[in-house]
Amino acid sequence: MNNLLQKGQSMFTRYFAFFYVAVFLIWMKTYIAQITQFRLGVEGPFQHFLLFINPLGSSFLFLGLALFFKGRKKYSWLMVIYFLLSVLLYSNILYYRFFNDFITLPTLTQTKNAGEIGGSVVSLLKPYDFLFFIDFFLLLALLASRFITIEVRDVNRRKAGALFSLSLAISCANLGLAEIDRPELLTRGFDRNYIVKYLGMYNYTIYDAVQSTQASAQRVMANSDDITEVNNYTKSNYAKPNPDYFGLGKGMNVVYFHLESFQNFLIDYKLHGEEVTPFLNSMTKDKNTVYFDNFFHQTAHGKTSDAEFMLENSLYGLPQGSAFMTKSLNTYQAAPAILGTHGYTSAVFHGNSGSFWNRDEIYKSFGYDKFFDSSYYQMDPEDLAQYGLMDKPFLKESMPLLKSLPQPFYTKFITVTNHFPFPIDKKDASIEPHTTGVSSVDSYFQTARYADEAFKQFFASLEKDGLLDHTIIIMYGDHYGISKDNNKQMEQVLGKEITPFESTGLQRVPLLIRVPGLVGGVNHEYGGQIDLLPTLLHLLGIDTKEYVQFGTDLFSKQHDDLIPFRNGDFVSSTITSIDGKFYDSTTGMELGIDKLAKAEKGRNMAEEKLLLSDRVVNGDLLRFYNPEGFVSVDRSKYNYHQK
């Protein structure tokens, strides 16, 4: 026994032995986490091999930074770096469970939201999560045991250089192999899933930091010439308004209903023999309402804020982080400012803190006259949801505020009850939960019913106060409610297999546009949130030709039905692109070789739209362009705090 102990001690008398154990543990943990916690779409032995080796080079690189420290400090710093890598990995696991995406550098700046999402984080925890840190404590125990003899001598520089050369060689070989399977991986890196799958979590972090830094540098380098190409593109892709709809709502009030986490499958869905959303179902048949049943959310990291950003500006949300958080001081030509030049008063109603998603700052750049946040409402504890005031008291208390606005007004109501993880008290639930066995899925139908009842209540108030007959009402879903992690449960909900094609179809959200005098019905046109602004402006009789907008009027005969997603996929009425594969949008069958050229053209068009929009936002290019008749926003004129 003593001989065995002595052999063990002699094995760890040199620092590198302990270092290699640490590298092995973080490598294996990361590989296991990548294959079990993320849905990376790994196919075939080659991709599995890449997933296996991709944490190795970065593990050597990051842990190797401890070699720069002398004496005992190199052990301490090795443990610090190991712990930080573990925290980074686990943070991405939690983030992925909620957003189906990976953390980006701009996301880390969104600390204003941290205090608001505590309940959601708790619901994401799993009983086995402690295993993601057990290796760290094993290393600590090993370091404190008799097996370790601390090597005070500094690490030889030649050995350190050899180690960093090894890490670089592994990473370069990894990238080279990845390029064989996925050409232009880094230059066409729209999908973070691809980066993690081929290069690993830690190399993705380096890639993201570089991308974010480049995006920040774009504003500094931008000049007035940069807007010319963008302007030429949007004008060449301008869709003329349909004369049957142009100006149909001229001079009317506008009310946006932001349907939190509403997916389109809820429309006409029955649970336990009952309609989940009876009021919204009735609105799809309203004589003055057009219901778009092929309308998709296009949000990314910003989720709700991305949806708002698109409907206000017809610009895409960012590939990393939220424009609401990182680009709030930009120059915009948003709906409130445009309509302000036509005599409209603008306001947002939201029963949550004004600082959440940085709304109290970016709304100034949009030109919103008023922002009624939680400080304007009676925030009784029994009426609070996780993210603010529940929908029924929120909408009830909003009516006096709405009636106080000079008409015509442009307004937006942001609801919160139907938000993950969809908690609801029994006293507020008017339908029994689903029976999938996953609480956040089962209660989703109860919170959706509650929200539906709140909308019905609000419509009745509008009618009672004489506003309904001269108000355009647009109800739209902001993003998915049930994530792809719950596709197995969704198979039970919908009674069919959720293939990648079906999963993409579940990204449809409701869009209902009610205009007094409009001939209602179901419209099967494909569209996305990027199309809302030009559609509304044309209904109000305001031509969008001179504005930089990437969406097109849904009612226009020239409407562009290609819908890009932030990960590089796209959907149109004919082709659906998912993870590099192309499908027939009608049948769901994979396209034959004869149609791939058209599909590739669609993908290139989708990428061009995203790139040009990103150029506008990252470069703050609208500061160099002012359409005729538009009055630029002066942020200093706005103060949303009650006096």
Side-chain angles (χ1 to χ4, degrees):
M1 183 66 180
N2 288 336
N3 289 337
L4 183 62
L5 184 60
Q6 288 175 355
K7 287 182 179 179
Q9 286 178 314
S10 64
M11 174 183 175
F12 288 104
T13 55
R14 294 192 178 277
Y15 174 77
F16 272 106
F18 183 70
F19 174 83
Y20 290 137
V21 170
V23 168
F24 178 78
L25 288 177
I26 197 72
W27 173 24
M28 288 297 101
K29 177 171 71 174
T30 306
Y31 166 66
I32 293 170
Q34 289 179 171
I35 204 168
T36 61
Q37 301 301 305
F38 309 129
R39 290 175 290 96
L40 300 176
V42 180
E43 298 178 350
F46 186 72
Q47 290 188 7
H48 276 281
F49 173 72
L50 287 175
L51 193 70
F52 176 70
I53 67 166
N54 63 38
L56 181 57
S58 50
S59 297
F60 270 119
L61 175 64
F62 285 111
L63 293 181
L65 295 175
L67 299 176
F68 290 103
F69 295 91
K70 298 180 178 181
R72 296 174 180 270
K73 288 184 178 180
K74 58 181 175 289
Y75 289 90
S76 301
W77 278 102
L78 176 67
M79 296 306 298
V80 168
I81 297 169
Y82 194 99
F83 180 73
L84 292 176
L85 290 176
S86 299
V87 169
L88 175 64
L89 178 63
Y90 184 62
S91 298
N92 271 283
I93 289 170
L94 289 180
Y95 193 85
Y96 195 90
R97 288 173 185 171
F98 190 91
F99 291 108
N100 290 299
D101 210 336
F102 300 98
I103 294 174
T104 65
L105 189 61
T107 305
L108 300 178
T109 67
Q110 298 170 10
T111 54
K112 282 188 178 182
N113 292 357
E116 306 279 351
I117 61 176
S120 294
V121 171
V122 171
S123 69
L124 298 173
L125 302 179
K126 305 290 185 184
Y128 57 79
D129 283 358
F130 74 94
L131 294 173
F132 293 111
F133 293 93
I134 196 170
D135 54 315
F136 173 76
F137 291 104
L138 285 174
L139 279 177
L140 277 180
L142 181 61
L143 194 59
S145 72
R146 294 172 59 191
F147 282 92
I148 292 292
T149 301
I150 301 297
E151 184 182 14
V152 180
R153 184 176 56 182
D154 296 342
V155 175
N156 183 285
R157 289 188 177 184
R158 291 179 61 185
K159 289 184 178 180
L163 186 140
F164 279 106
S165 297
L166 175 63
S167 69
L168 184 61
I170 294 172
S171 296
C172 288
N174 182 182
L175 178 59
L177 292 172
E179 285 284 341
I180 294 173
D181 198 57
R182 180 68 179 177
E184 299 180 309
L185 175 65
L186 297 182
T187 55
R188 298 179 69 175
F190 282 99
D191 193 339
R192 284 174 284 276
N193 261 29
Y194 285 154
I195 304 297
V196 175
K197 177 169 71 172
Y198 286 108
L199 301 184
M201 174 58 62
Y202 309 122
N203 284 328
Y204 156 74
T205 303
I206 297 173
Y207 167 82
D208 170 65
V210 172
Q211 291 290 101
S212 299
T213 302
Q214 288 177 343
S216 298
Q218 284 185 37
R219 189 184 193 281
V220 178
M221 303 299 292
N223 59 57
S224 57
D225 293 334
D226 296 325
I227 193 64
T228 303
E229 180 185 356
V230 177
N231 213 341
N232 290 339
Y233 175 86
T234 55
K235 284 185 177 180
S236 65
N237 287 273
Y238 163 76
K240 294 180 181 178
N242 187 327
D244 294 335
Y245 295 90
F246 186 72
L248 192 61
K250 187 177 179 64
M252 292 185 182
N253 300 315
V254 178
V255 170
Y256 264 112
F257 269 122
H258 184 100
L259 308 181
E260 172 64 44
S261 302
F262 259 82
Q263 288 174 254
N264 198 57
F265 78 85
L266 286 170
I267 301 297
D268 291 330
Y269 184 83
K270 288 188 176 182
L271 177 62
H272 312 307
E274 298 181 56
E275 291 180 305
V276 174
T277 57
F279 177 70
L280 287 179
N281 296 347
S282 70
M283 288 301 298
T284 66
K285 304 171 183 65
D286 179 78
K287 66 177 182 178
N288 296 135
T289 301
V290 174
Y291 163 50
F292 290 85
D293 60 355
N294 285 312
F295 184 75
F296 290 78
H297 84 86
Q298 297 169 281
T299 64
H301 276 170
K303 288 294 182 287
T304 293
S305 68
D306 279 356
E308 287 191 71
F309 190 75
M310 282 183 276
L311 78 88
E312 303 288 16
N313 299 284
S314 196
L315 297 169
Y316 292 98
L318 295 174
Q320 292 97 18
S322 165
F324 265 47
M325 303 297 295
T326 61
K327 306 296 179 184
S328 63
L329 301 181
N330 273 17
T331 298
Y332 295 105
Q333 294 158 11
I338 295 172
L339 293 179
T341 64
H342 293 268
Y344 275 75
T345 304
S346 55
V348 180
F349 301 79
H350 185 40
N352 195 0
S353 168
S355 63
F356 194 61
W357 279 126
N358 206 33
R359 289 187 172 99
D360 55 356
E361 290 299 328
I362 198 167
Y363 284 167
K364 296 175 185 177
S365 299
F366 290 172
Y368 266 110
D369 296 313
K370 295 182 180 296
F371 177 24
F372 299 109
D373 67 357
S374 57
S375 65
Y376 289 82
Y377 294 87
Q378 295 293 324
M379 304 294 283
D380 294 331
E382 63 270 18
D383 291 333
L384 295 183
Q386 185 170 315
Y387 291 88
L389 194 60
M390 294 185 70
D391 296 350
K392 289 180 182 179
F394 162 63
L395 292 174
K396 181 179 180 181
E397 291 184 40
S398 295
M399 278 307 298
L401 298 172
L402 179 66
K403 288 191 292 183
S404 72
L405 297 176
Q407 299 186 46
F409 51 68
Y410 170 81
T411 58
K412 177 171 59 183
F413 291 82
I414 304 173
T415 59
V416 301
T417 304
N418 192 47
H419 194 294
F420 181 87
F422 315 109
I424 189 168
D425 290 338
K426 286 186 177 181
K427 65 180 178 60
D428 296 315
S430 58
I431 191 172
E432 291 297 311
H434 215 297
T435 57
T436 69
V438 175
S439 60
S440 61
V441 176
D442 294 344
S443 59
Y444 175 67
F445 300 87
Q446 295 177 296
T447 53
R449 165 66 75 85
Y450 177 92
D452 184 77
E453 293 169 347
F455 302 145
K456 180 179 180 180
Q457 162 195 311
F458 190 77
F459 265 72
S461 298
L462 288 175
E463 187 170 23
K464 179 182 177 182
D465 292 317
L467 293 171
L468 196 61
D469 290 338
H470 54 95
T471 298
I472 295 174
I473 298 174
I474 301 176
M475 294 180 283
Y476 80 105
D478 64 340
H479 54 74
Y480 65 81
I482 300 177
S483 76
K484 295 177 182 179
D485 284 340
N486 296 119
N487 276 351
K488 286 295 181 185
Q489 288 72 38
M490 285 303 296
E491 289 181 351
Q492 183 177 338
V493 167
L494 299 177
K496 61 181 178 181
E497 181 184 2
I498 305 299
T499 63
F501 177 80
E502 292 291 343
S503 184
T504 298
L506 285 173
Q507 306 315 304
R508 289 179 173 88
V509 293
L511 174 63
L512 299 99
I513 300 178
R514 185 185 189 278
V515 185
L518 179 70
V519 178
V522 179
N523 190 315
H524 303 302
E525 188 73 29
Y526 275 63
Q529 291 162 333
I530 200 75
D531 300 316
L532 285 172
L533 179 57
T535 302
L536 171 64
L537 292 180
H538 285 176
L539 284 170
L540 294 173
I542 302 170
D543 202 322
T544 62
K545 187 173 185 179
E546 297 305 314
Y547 288 97
V548 175
Q549 297 175 357
F550 286 87
T552 55
D553 182 354
L554 289 165
F555 292 111
S556 172
K557 295 177 182 179
Q558 298 174 352
H559 168 65
D560 181 2
D561 70 359
L562 184 119
I563 308 160
F565 300 124
R566 274 285 25 163
N567 64 357
D569 292 343
F570 71 87
V571 168
S572 72
S573 58
T574 55
I575 299 171
T576 296
S577 170
I578 309 168
D579 293 336
K581 295 182 179 180
F582 302 108
Y583 302 84
D584 185 298
S585 293
T586 303
T587 65
M589 300 295 292
E590 197 165 345
L591 294 183
I593 296 176
D594 58 319
K595 296 182 179 179
L596 291 184
K598 182 179 179 181
E600 285 288 352
K601 182 180 178 181
R603 182 162 65 183
N604 291 336
M605 291 171 61
E607 290 180 357
E608 183 179 20
K609 288 186 179 184
L610 295 171
L611 285 170
L612 289 175
S613 177
D614 289 349
R615 192 179 300 174
V616 172
V617 179
N618 287 323
D620 192 13
L621 297 186
L622 293 181
R623 61 190 158 130
F624 301 121
Y625 173 70
N626 203 72
E628 184 178 352
F630 177 77
V631 179
S632 298
V633 173
D634 181 356
R635 285 175 45 87
S636 66
K637 293 182 178 180
Y638 302 99
N639 179 15
Y640 301 133
H641 300 290
Q642 295 194 70
K643 297 179 180 178

Short mmCIF file of all heavy atoms in Angstrom, two decimals, residues 323-360:
data_model
loop_
_atom_site.label_atom_id
_atom_site.label_comp_id
_atom_site.label_asym_id
_atom_site.label_seq_id
_atom_site.Cartn_x
_atom_site.Cartn_y
_atom_site.Cartn_z
N ALA A 323 -30.30 44.38 -29.73
CA ALA A 323 -30.11 45.77 -30.15
C ALA A 323 -30.67 46.73 -29.11
O ALA A 323 -30.18 47.85 -28.95
CB ALA A 323 -30.76 46.00 -31.51
N PHE A 324 -31.72 46.31 -28.40
CA PHE A 324 -32.29 47.14 -27.34
C PHE A 324 -31.24 47.47 -26.28
O PHE A 324 -31.27 48.55 -25.70
CB PHE A 324 -33.47 46.42 -26.69
CG PHE A 324 -34.82 46.78 -27.26
CD1 PHE A 324 -35.02 46.81 -28.62
CD2 PHE A 324 -35.87 47.08 -26.42
CE1 PHE A 324 -36.25 47.14 -29.16
CE2 PHE A 324 -37.12 47.41 -26.94
CZ PHE A 324 -37.32 47.44 -28.31
N MET A 325 -30.33 46.53 -26.03
CA MET A 325 -29.34 46.72 -24.99
C MET A 325 -28.08 47.41 -25.50
O MET A 325 -27.51 48.25 -24.81
CB MET A 325 -28.96 45.37 -24.38
CG MET A 325 -30.13 44.58 -23.81
SD MET A 325 -30.96 45.39 -22.43
CE MET A 325 -29.68 45.38 -21.20
N THR A 326 -27.66 47.04 -26.68
CA THR A 326 -26.34 47.48 -27.16
C THR A 326 -26.40 48.62 -28.17
O THR A 326 -25.37 49.26 -28.42
CB THR A 326 -25.58 46.30 -27.79
OG1 THR A 326 -26.32 45.80 -28.92
CG2 THR A 326 -25.41 45.17 -26.78
N LYS A 327 -27.57 48.90 -28.75
CA LYS A 327 -27.66 49.94 -29.79
C LYS A 327 -28.77 50.94 -29.48
O LYS A 327 -29.40 51.50 -30.38
CB LYS A 327 -27.93 49.29 -31.16
CG LYS A 327 -26.94 48.20 -31.56
CD LYS A 327 -25.53 48.72 -31.73
CE LYS A 327 -24.57 47.60 -32.10
NZ LYS A 327 -23.17 48.07 -32.19
N SER A 328 -28.98 51.19 -28.20
CA SER A 328 -30.10 52.06 -27.81
C SER A 328 -29.88 53.52 -28.19
O SER A 328 -30.84 54.28 -28.29
CB SER A 328 -30.35 51.95 -26.30
OG SER A 328 -29.23 52.40 -25.56
N LEU A 329 -28.63 53.93 -28.38
CA LEU A 329 -28.34 55.33 -28.69
C LEU A 329 -28.22 55.58 -30.19
O LEU A 329 -27.90 56.70 -30.61
CB LEU A 329 -27.06 55.78 -27.98
CG LEU A 329 -27.08 55.67 -26.46
CD1 LEU A 329 -25.76 56.16 -25.87
CD2 LEU A 329 -28.24 56.45 -25.86
N ASN A 330 -28.46 54.56 -30.99
CA ASN A 330 -28.40 54.72 -32.45
C ASN A 330 -29.44 55.71 -32.95
O ASN A 330 -30.41 56.04 -32.26
CB ASN A 330 -28.64 53.37 -33.13
CG ASN A 330 -27.37 52.57 -33.31
OD1 ASN A 330 -26.37 52.83 -32.68
ND2 ASN A 330 -27.43 51.56 -34.18
N THR A 331 -29.27 56.12 -34.19
CA THR A 331 -30.29 56.90 -34.90
C THR A 331 -31.25 55.95 -35.59
O THR A 331 -30.81 55.05 -36.32
CB THR A 331 -29.63 57.82 -35.94
OG1 THR A 331 -28.76 58.73 -35.28
CG2 THR A 331 -30.68 58.60 -36.73
N TYR A 332 -32.54 56.12 -35.34
CA TYR A 332 -33.55 55.26 -35.97
C TYR A 332 -34.60 56.11 -36.67
O TYR A 332 -34.79 57.30 -36.36
CB TYR A 332 -34.23 54.38 -34.91
CG TYR A 332 -33.29 53.38 -34.26
CD1 TYR A 332 -32.81 53.57 -32.97
CD2 TYR A 332 -32.88 52.24 -34.95
CE1 TYR A 332 -31.95 52.67 -32.38
CE2 TYR A 332 -32.01 51.33 -34.37
CZ TYR A 332 -31.55 51.55 -33.09
OH TYR A 332 -30.69 50.65 -32.52
N GLN A 333 -35.29 55.47 -37.60
CA GLN A 333 -36.46 56.07 -38.25
C GLN A 333 -37.61 55.12 -38.00
O GLN A 333 -38.11 54.42 -38.89
CB GLN A 333 -36.17 56.29 -39.73
CG GLN A 333 -35.08 57.33 -39.95
CD GLN A 333 -34.37 57.26 -41.28
OE1 GLN A 333 -34.80 56.53 -42.19
NE2 GLN A 333 -33.28 57.99 -41.42
N ALA A 334 -38.02 55.07 -36.73
CA ALA A 334 -38.99 54.09 -36.26
C ALA A 334 -40.41 54.59 -36.41
O ALA A 334 -40.66 55.78 -36.66
CB ALA A 334 -38.69 53.77 -34.79
N ALA A 335 -41.34 53.66 -36.24
CA ALA A 335 -42.75 53.97 -36.43
C ALA A 335 -43.22 55.18 -35.61
O ALA A 335 -43.93 56.05 -36.15
CB ALA A 335 -43.59 52.74 -36.10
N PRO A 336 -42.89 55.28 -34.32
CA PRO A 336 -43.37 56.44 -33.55
C PRO A 336 -42.91 57.77 -34.14
O PRO A 336 -43.68 58.75 -34.18
CB PRO A 336 -42.77 56.22 -32.15
CG PRO A 336 -42.50 54.77 -32.07
CD PRO A 336 -42.11 54.36 -33.46
N ALA A 337 -41.65 57.82 -34.60
CA ALA A 337 -41.13 59.07 -35.17
C ALA A 337 -41.77 59.36 -36.52
O ALA A 337 -42.11 60.52 -36.82
CB ALA A 337 -39.61 58.98 -35.31
N ILE A 338 -41.91 58.33 -37.35
CA ILE A 338 -42.55 58.53 -38.66
C ILE A 338 -43.97 59.04 -38.48
O ILE A 338 -44.39 60.02 -39.12
CB ILE A 338 -42.54 57.22 -39.47
CG1 ILE A 338 -41.11 56.79 -39.81
CG2 ILE A 338 -43.37 57.36 -40.74
CD1 ILE A 338 -41.00 55.41 -40.44
N LEU A 339 -44.73 58.38 -37.60
CA LEU A 339 -46.12 58.76 -37.41
C LEU A 339 -46.24 60.09 -36.67
O LEU A 339 -47.24 60.80 -36.81
CB LEU A 339 -46.87 57.66 -36.65
CG LEU A 339 -47.03 56.35 -37.43
CD1 LEU A 339 -47.74 55.30 -36.60
CD2 LEU A 339 -47.79 56.58 -38.73
N GLY A 340 -45.20 60.42 -35.89
CA GLY A 340 -45.22 61.72 -35.22
C GLY A 340 -45.25 62.87 -36.19
O GLY A 340 -45.85 63.93 -35.91
N THR A 341 -44.62 62.70 -37.36
CA THR A 341 -44.64 63.75 -38.39
C THR A 341 -46.01 63.85 -39.05
O THR A 341 -46.27 64.79 -39.80
CB THR A 341 -43.57 63.48 -39.47
OG1 THR A 341 -43.88 62.26 -40.15
CG2 THR A 341 -42.19 63.37 -38.84
N HIS A 342 -46.88 62.86 -38.79
CA HIS A 342 -48.24 62.88 -39.34
C HIS A 342 -49.28 63.14 -38.26
O HIS A 342 -50.47 62.81 -38.44
CB HIS A 342 -48.53 61.54 -40.04
CG HIS A 342 -47.70 61.32 -41.27
ND1 HIS A 342 -48.12 61.68 -42.53
CD2 HIS A 342 -46.45 60.81 -41.43
CE1 HIS A 342 -47.17 61.38 -43.42
NE2 HIS A 342 -46.16 60.84 -42.77
N GLY A 343 -48.83 63.69 -37.15
CA GLY A 343 -49.77 64.12 -36.12
C GLY A 343 -50.15 63.09 -35.08
O GLY A 343 -51.09 63.31 -34.31
N TYR A 344 -49.44 61.97 -35.02
CA TYR A 344 -49.78 60.90 -34.07
C TYR A 344 -49.07 61.10 -32.73
O TYR A 344 -47.91 61.53 -32.67
CB TYR A 344 -49.38 59.54 -34.62
CG TYR A 344 -50.42 58.92 -35.54
CD1 TYR A 344 -50.58 59.40 -36.85
CD2 TYR A 344 -51.23 57.88 -35.12
CE1 TYR A 344 -51.52 58.84 -37.70
CE2 TYR A 344 -52.18 57.31 -35.96
CZ TYR A 344 -52.32 57.80 -37.25
OH TYR A 344 -53.26 57.25 -38.09
N THR A 345 -49.77 60.77 -31.65
CA THR A 345 -49.19 60.63 -30.32
C THR A 345 -48.84 59.16 -30.13
O THR A 345 -49.64 58.28 -30.48
CB THR A 345 -50.18 61.06 -29.23
OG1 THR A 345 -50.62 62.38 -29.48
CG2 THR A 345 -49.54 60.96 -27.84
N SER A 346 -47.68 58.88 -29.58
CA SER A 346 -47.24 57.49 -29.44
C SER A 346 -47.01 57.13 -27.97
O SER A 346 -46.57 57.96 -27.18
CB SER A 346 -45.96 57.23 -30.25
OG SER A 346 -44.95 58.14 -29.88
N ALA A 347 -47.31 55.88 -27.63
CA ALA A 347 -47.15 55.43 -26.24
C ALA A 347 -47.02 53.92 -26.19
O ALA A 347 -47.58 53.20 -27.02
CB ALA A 347 -48.33 55.88 -25.39
N VAL A 348 -46.27 53.45 -25.18
CA VAL A 348 -46.15 52.03 -24.88
C VAL A 348 -46.71 51.79 -23.48
O VAL A 348 -46.48 52.58 -22.57
CB VAL A 348 -44.68 51.55 -24.91
CG1 VAL A 348 -44.59 50.06 -24.59
CG2 VAL A 348 -44.05 51.83 -26.26
N PHE A 349 -47.43 50.67 -23.33
CA PHE A 349 -48.00 50.26 -22.05
C PHE A 349 -47.38 48.92 -21.66
O PHE A 349 -47.45 47.95 -22.42
CB PHE A 349 -49.52 50.12 -22.15
CG PHE A 349 -50.23 51.38 -22.58
CD1 PHE A 349 -50.26 51.77 -23.91
CD2 PHE A 349 -50.88 52.17 -21.64
CE1 PHE A 349 -50.91 52.92 -24.31
CE2 PHE A 349 -51.54 53.34 -22.03
CZ PHE A 349 -51.56 53.71 -23.36
N HIS A 350 -46.79 48.88 -20.46
CA HIS A 350 -46.13 47.65 -20.02
C HIS A 350 -46.07 47.62 -18.50
O HIS A 350 -45.49 48.53 -17.89
CB HIS A 350 -44.71 47.58 -20.61
CG HIS A 350 -43.98 46.31 -20.32
ND1 HIS A 350 -44.57 45.07 -20.35
CD2 HIS A 350 -42.68 46.09 -20.01
CE1 HIS A 350 -43.68 44.14 -20.07
NE2 HIS A 350 -42.52 44.73 -19.86
N GLY A 351 -46.65 46.61 -17.90
CA GLY A 351 -46.71 46.53 -16.44
C GLY A 351 -45.47 45.93 -15.83
O GLY A 351 -45.56 45.05 -14.95
N ASN A 352 -44.32 46.38 -16.26
CA ASN A 352 -43.04 45.91 -15.73
C ASN A 352 -42.11 47.11 -15.62
O ASN A 352 -42.42 48.21 -16.10
CB ASN A 352 -42.43 44.84 -16.64
CG ASN A 352 -41.31 44.06 -15.97
OD1 ASN A 352 -40.98 44.31 -14.82
ND2 ASN A 352 -40.71 43.14 -16.70
N SER A 353 -40.95 46.91 -15.02
CA SER A 353 -39.98 47.98 -14.87
C SER A 353 -39.58 48.54 -16.23
O SER A 353 -39.33 47.78 -17.19
CB SER A 353 -38.74 47.45 -14.15
OG SER A 353 -37.68 48.37 -14.21
N GLY A 354 -39.49 49.85 -16.31
CA GLY A 354 -39.13 50.49 -17.58
C GLY A 354 -37.73 50.17 -18.04
O GLY A 354 -37.43 50.27 -19.24
N SER A 355 -36.87 49.77 -17.12
CA SER A 355 -35.48 49.47 -17.48
C SER A 355 -35.31 48.08 -18.06
O SER A 355 -34.26 47.77 -18.62
CB SER A 355 -34.58 49.62 -16.25
OG SER A 355 -34.94 48.69 -15.24
N PHE A 356 -36.35 47.23 -17.92
CA PHE A 356 -36.21 45.87 -18.44
C PHE A 356 -36.10 45.91 -19.96
O PHE A 356 -36.86 46.57 -20.64
CB PHE A 356 -37.43 45.03 -18.02
CG PHE A 356 -37.24 43.56 -18.23
CD1 PHE A 356 -36.23 42.87 -17.59
CD2 PHE A 356 -38.08 42.84 -19.07
CE1 PHE A 356 -36.05 41.51 -17.76
CE2 PHE A 356 -37.91 41.49 -19.25
CZ PHE A 356 -36.90 40.82 -18.60
N TRP A 357 -35.10 45.23 -20.50
CA TRP A 357 -34.72 45.28 -21.91
C TRP A 357 -34.31 46.70 -22.32
O TRP A 357 -34.34 47.03 -23.51
CB TRP A 357 -35.84 44.77 -22.83
CG TRP A 357 -35.92 43.29 -22.97
CD1 TRP A 357 -37.01 42.50 -22.74
CD2 TRP A 357 -34.89 42.38 -23.39
NE1 TRP A 357 -36.73 41.18 -22.96
CE2 TRP A 357 -35.42 41.07 -23.35
CE3 TRP A 357 -33.56 42.56 -23.76
CZ2 TRP A 357 -34.68 39.95 -23.69
CZ3 TRP A 357 -32.81 41.43 -24.09
CH2 TRP A 357 -33.38 40.15 -24.06
N ASN A 358 -33.98 47.54 -21.34
CA ASN A 358 -33.48 48.89 -21.65
C ASN A 358 -34.51 49.73 -22.40
O ASN A 358 -34.16 50.66 -23.14
CB ASN A 358 -32.19 48.78 -22.47
CG ASN A 358 -31.30 49.99 -22.32
OD1 ASN A 358 -31.24 50.61 -21.27
ND2 ASN A 358 -30.59 50.34 -23.38
N ARG A 359 -35.79 49.41 -22.19
CA ARG A 359 -36.84 50.10 -22.95
C ARG A 359 -36.86 51.59 -22.68
O ARG A 359 -37.15 52.39 -23.59
CB ARG A 359 -38.21 49.48 -22.61
CG ARG A 359 -38.42 48.08 -23.17
CD ARG A 359 -39.86 47.62 -22.92
NE ARG A 359 -40.13 46.36 -23.60
CZ ARG A 359 -40.12 45.16 -23.00
NH1 ARG A 359 -39.83 45.07 -21.71
NH2 ARG A 359 -40.38 44.07 -23.69
N ASP A 360 -36.60 51.99 -21.43
CA ASP A 360 -36.69 53.41 -21.11
C ASP A 360 -35.62 54.24 -21.81
O ASP A 360 -35.69 55.47 -21.82
CB ASP A 360 -36.63 53.64 -19.60
CG ASP A 360 -35.40 53.03 -18.93
OD1 ASP A 360 -34.62 52.35 -19.64
OD2 ASP A 360 -35.25 53.19 -17.72
#
